[in-house]
Amino acid sequence: MKVVVPVKRVLDYNVKPRVKADGTGVDLANVKMSMNPFDEIAVEEALRLREKGAATEVIVVSIGEPKSQDTLRTALAMGADRAILITHEGGVEPLGVAKLLAKVVEEEQPGLVILGKQAIDDDNNQTGQMLAALLGWAQGTFASKVEIDGERVKVTREVDGGLETLDLKMPAIVTTDLRLNEPRYASLPNIMKAKSKPLANKTPADYGVDVTARLSVVSVEEPPKRQAGAKVADVDELVMKLKAMGVAK
Amino acid sequence: MKTLVWVEHDNTNMKDATLAAVTAASKLGEVHVLVAGEGCAAVGEQAAKIAGVAKVHVADDAAYGHGLAENVAPLIVDLMGHHDAFIASATTTGKNIAPRVAALLDVMQISEVLSVIDENTFTRPIYAGAAIATVKTSDAKKVLTIRGTAFEKAEAEGGSAEIEAIGSSGDKGLSSFVGAEIATSARPELTSAKIIVSGGRALANGENFHALIEPLADKLGAAVGASRAAVDAGYAPNDYQVGQTGKIVAPEVYIAVGISGAIQHLAGMKDSKVIVAINKDEDAPIFQVADIGLVGDLFKVVPELTEKL
């Protein structure tokens, strides 16, 4: 069974985003970019399935500007077997990404596609569900545990209030939550090795997919700033303030 | 514009998240709601009483008992022949189902909507809430998830909508429910609580979390939350997590204990009315957003606070 893992290049999660003065977006010039943290978890899970003998090949896919190649090389250095880069300048919305991934899935015929539950830049949390819809496959979203049993996969999901376990028919879509695993670091020799692993270059046109945006961004603004309040000297003063607010009697 | 709202429920009781979604929908026009479940007639009656709802569609079938997206999405897509927009609250259920509906309709979803500017224009947070984007859709049908804390709750009583039973589109046979471990708690639910006491890494272990955070919460009648660090370290269960990847809350008072205030955590609570921070590091970023700060050792301060309240 092949496993396909889509990965996205995003602003590094430690970097504080700065809104551009002209209100057109967030400034991404000269800032550190990395693999979306949820996608690292997805790559890790695919690698673990291969190590357990449940998967034979791990194929990573990224859609975006040419520099997304760096993100794919990172995934290859973690241990993925080969990569597909679908180059498109400017952003592609989840619907467009899902349509492109559906074409990749048609070609590769994987048993599972493992995606991150959301990208930390646009915070959409849509692509996996959309891909499942387009393929007519089952979806196991926000997974904290994945167990393959023949033609079925059991997925434990993090839901409001606790955990829920579903049994899905394969092929299926899984999206990763934070607690699914702890992603490995790529070692230096593996980073070197990754440079010679196969990476196919494609464009949306190669797949006949129209990725024209359905949403236009009117403006991007900073959220209203909170004013830092006053510090209190001791617990008594805090109790007094809480009482004044009616929080305590 | 006719909007269909997803009613969130457990087959017996409607959840509060539905009420905020109805308010968002009412800004677009006529509001219809969908109750899909198994043995969910009582929920249909509750939904019919929400002020502002014109019609309740009830689909009662074993296939809908656990809200499986594979079964529920085709049902919604059928109904979208007569509706212009679909709105679900951005809960784990709404986030699971709505994008599946959007893709089947070939439209882009707008996630975690904060406000409705007009029927095509909405605001939503990006980059963990570090920026607010105003987006305009060109799709004929709209699919939105809304952030519950950004909309007032519609009145749960006072309406008298017509209830219509609708047929099932059946079990698609792709997925089945195995089981659930739902944490039971006598405390208020995190996303609708008026007061939240939240603990972070500084608590050092689960015993301290129980011994310090929970008594304070109980004294205030508050819900208990946690930072990702506290959850990852096993001090608190996963569903306590407040932040970009956990729950988004906006209580009247949020008391952050031993939480430094990373942007991913702030994303989940910075719309709280009053933020109180207790931290021994006076340079912790949490103090930049806190209305009331107390610099001190939580192991001394919290028991004293609980005692004096």
Side-chain angles (χ1 to χ4, degrees):
Chain A
M1 171 183 87
K2 291 185 197 174
V3 178
V4 164
V5 183
V7 294
K8 186 176 183 184
R9 180 175 182 265
V10 298
L11 180 67
D12 188 87
Y13 76 100
N14 280 314
V15 178
K16 190 170 161 47
R18 273 178 305 130
V19 173
K20 284 195 231 172
D22 63 1
T24 55
V26 164
D27 195 354
L28 297 179
N30 305 315
V31 289
K32 190 181 175 208
M33 304 290 280
S34 303
M35 191 191 303
N36 180 42
F38 290 101
D39 302 348
E40 288 184 355
I41 296 170
V43 172
E44 176 65 35
E45 195 64 18
L47 296 174
R48 289 185 189 189
L49 289 173
R50 195 187 61 196
E51 282 154 10
K52 276 191 257 180
T56 49
E57 191 182 23
V58 176
I59 304 149
V60 286
V61 186
S62 194
I63 297 160
E65 55 182 297
K67 278 185 178 165
S68 300
Q69 181 168 330
D70 302 347
T71 309
L72 289 170
R73 290 289 174 206
T74 305
L76 293 170
M78 285 172 75
D81 297 292
R82 62 187 165 90
I84 301 169
L85 173 62
I86 306 174
T87 308
H88 183 81
E89 292 288 354
V92 182
E93 292 169 345
L95 185 63
V97 170
K99 286 179 179 178
L100 285 167
L101 292 174
K103 296 286 183 188
V104 171
V105 165
E106 264 172 45
E107 272 183 17
E108 300 289 348
Q109 300 283 319
L112 276 182
V113 181
I114 309 180
L115 308 88
K117 81 165 177 183
Q118 77 192 60
I120 60 165
D121 51 1
D122 58 24
D123 281 331
N124 271 316
N125 197 330
Q126 300 175 8
T127 306
Q129 296 89 314
M130 287 184 156
L131 178 61
L134 297 177
L135 295 168
W137 289 7
Q139 65 188 51
T141 51
F142 326 142
S144 60
K145 197 173 172 192
V146 176
E147 294 167 283
I148 293 181
D149 179 16
E151 298 298 302
R152 319 275 310 178
V153 57
K154 209 182 265 182
V155 176
T156 301
R157 307 177 54 228
E158 294 202 6
V159 295
D160 295 332
L163 299 171
E164 172 186 277
T165 304
L166 302 180
D167 177 61
L168 311 179
K169 187 178 156 199
M170 295 213 316
I173 303 294
V174 170
T175 75
T176 62
D177 216 320
L178 277 173
R179 278 164 283 272
L180 180 59
N181 60 46
E182 189 75 42
R184 69 194 65 186
Y185 290 101
S187 66
L188 191 57
N190 286 343
I191 292 170
M192 300 310 288
K193 248 189 267 172
K195 290 185 178 163
S196 56
K197 286 186 180 177
L199 189 149
N201 274 290
K202 301 275 192 181
T203 65
D206 294 336
Y207 295 100
V209 171
D210 176 10
V211 294
T212 309
R214 307 292 186 84
L215 305 181
S216 56
V217 176
V218 179
S219 64
V220 174
E221 285 161 36
E222 286 205 22
K225 274 220 166 59
R226 283 191 83 100
Q227 294 296 324
K231 288 202 173 107
V232 291
D234 54 26
V235 172
D236 290 322
E237 202 184 333
L238 177 57
V239 170
M240 216 168 65
K241 290 225 173 192
L242 289 174
K243 283 183 178 168
M245 287 189 297
V247 170
K249 284 174 207 94
Chain B
M1 212 156 132
K2 229 197 264 178
T3 302
L4 184 69
V5 172
W6 172 257
V7 175
E8 190 140 345
H9 64 88
D10 59 5
N11 291 312
T12 315
N13 289 304
M14 183 180 76
K15 303 214 167 136
D16 270 5
T18 311
L19 300 173
V22 166
T23 301
S26 67
K27 295 184 188 296
L28 294 175
E30 190 175 319
V31 183
H32 290 194
V33 303
L34 169 64
V35 178
E38 184 182 10
C40 57
V43 180
E45 281 158 30
Q46 292 162 30
K49 289 190 192 128
I50 306 173
V53 171
K55 193 168 189 177
V56 180
H57 302 272
V58 178
D60 199 328
D61 189 280
Y64 305 137
H66 297 286
L68 296 172
E70 296 81 354
N71 294 343
V72 168
L75 174 76
I76 297 165
V77 170
D78 282 348
L79 285 167
M80 287 306 285
H82 312 287
H83 293 87
D84 308 296
F86 174 71
I87 297 187
S89 206
T91 57
T92 50
T93 314
K95 289 178 191 172
N96 189 41
I97 294 169
R100 194 166 176 115
V101 172
L104 292 174
L105 294 170
D106 193 31
V107 305
M108 245 309 282
Q109 175 183 297
I110 305 174
S111 298
E112 303 253 4
V113 167
L114 296 174
S115 71
V116 175
I117 293 177
D118 62 42
E119 62 179 37
N120 294 312
T121 318
F122 307 91
T123 64
R124 61 175 305 265
I126 54 175
Y127 289 90
I132 308 294
T134 303
V135 294
K136 193 169 176 149
T137 174
S138 59
D139 286 320
K141 304 248 179 205
K142 278 73 169 154
V143 175
L144 318 175
T145 62
I146 64 107
R147 179 165 288 185
T149 55
F151 294 89
E152 294 287 325
K153 291 187 180 97
E155 293 293 331
E157 300 288 336
S160 56
E162 174 198 349
I163 300 178
E164 184 187 315
I166 55 170
S168 167
S169 56
D171 191 333
K172 303 298 167 199
L174 292 169
S175 57
S176 58
F177 176 82
V178 178
E181 286 170 52
I182 301 298
T184 50
S185 170
R187 296 192 186 95
E189 201 204 343
L190 197 50
T191 50
S192 56
K194 286 204 162 61
I195 307 171
I196 295 174
V197 179
S198 218
R201 194 204 309 263
L203 283 148
N205 60 50
E207 288 75 55
N208 291 336
F209 198 94
H210 285 302
L212 296 170
I213 298 298
E214 292 175 0
L216 176 58
D218 291 341
K219 199 86 175 232
L220 294 166
V224 176
S227 70
R228 181 185 163 191
V231 169
D232 281 352
Y235 308 166
N238 298 350
D239 59 299
Y240 279 30
Q241 188 185 327
V242 171
Q244 183 184 22
T245 62
K247 293 201 170 73
I248 312 289
V249 300
E252 308 213 336
V253 182
Y254 187 92
I255 304 179
V257 179
I259 292 176
S260 64
I263 51 173
Q264 291 83 2
H265 185 75
L266 298 182
M269 46 62 82
K270 69 182 167 57
D271 293 323
S272 305
K273 214 175 238 168
V274 175
I275 297 173
V276 179
I278 298 172
N279 205 301
K280 69 174 175 196
D281 173 10
E282 63 181 310
D283 297 322
I286 191 80
F287 286 121
Q288 290 164 22
V289 299
D291 301 278
I292 304 172
L294 175 56
V295 180
D297 180 359
L298 69 91
F299 293 102
K300 284 193 195 117
V301 169
V302 174
E304 188 186 339
L305 178 61
T306 308
E307 172 71 34
K308 287 182 172 164
L309 281 169

